[in-house]
Amino acid sequence: MCIRDSYRTAGRINEAITLGEQVTKQSEEFLGANHPTTLVAWGNLALSYRAVGRTDEAMALLKLTAASMDDQGNSDTQTRTLARMKERIAEWQRQDS
């Protein structure tokens, strides 16, 4: 578990979001927007956004992440992560309708 996840688990969600935004920015800068690490960081940030009611941002980011992962040849781990993201998108859509 990373510190961002620890913040989220401890209810320190705003700190988790700040850290998540920093991580995604740096990951994009150093690794690129389509790097698996960046995509996972985007997915985690989407979860944090959702936790504070930023549902539109969360959904948009999760959909972007899933679409980017879909465009790549994925490892087994990435394929499982993508499947979980798609399940979460469907779940959020059901909850929001």
Side-chain angles (χ1 to χ4, degrees):
M1 179 181 283
C2 69
I3 193 165
R4 180 201 59 247
D5 294 337
S6 297
Y7 281 156
R8 191 169 50 213
T9 301
R12 296 168 63 178
I13 194 69
N14 290 325
E15 290 164 287
I17 288 172
T18 298
L19 189 56
E21 290 170 341
Q22 291 170 357
V23 167
T24 55
K25 182 180 177 185
Q26 289 177 352
S27 186
E28 287 175 34
E29 183 179 324
F30 293 107
L31 300 173
N34 289 320
H35 190 277
T37 300
T38 303
L39 298 175
V40 169
W42 284 353
N44 288 331
L45 183 57
L47 294 176
S48 295
Y49 283 164
R50 179 76 176 191
V52 296
R54 293 168 65 177
T55 55
D56 291 340
E57 290 171 275
M59 182 65 85
L61 189 54
L62 199 60
K63 285 182 176 180
L64 174 67
T65 303
S68 295
M69 289 183 85
D70 249 348
D71 291 341
Q72 299 180 5
N74 296 314
S75 69
D76 288 342
T77 300
Q78 290 170 314
T79 300
R80 286 190 300 273
T81 300
L82 177 59
R84 285 193 306 269
M85 285 182 185
K86 288 181 176 181
E87 288 170 6
R88 185 156 284 141
I89 288 168
E91 175 186 332
W92 289 358
Q93 287 173 328
R94 284 190 303 274
Q95 290 174 352
D96 292 345
S97 57

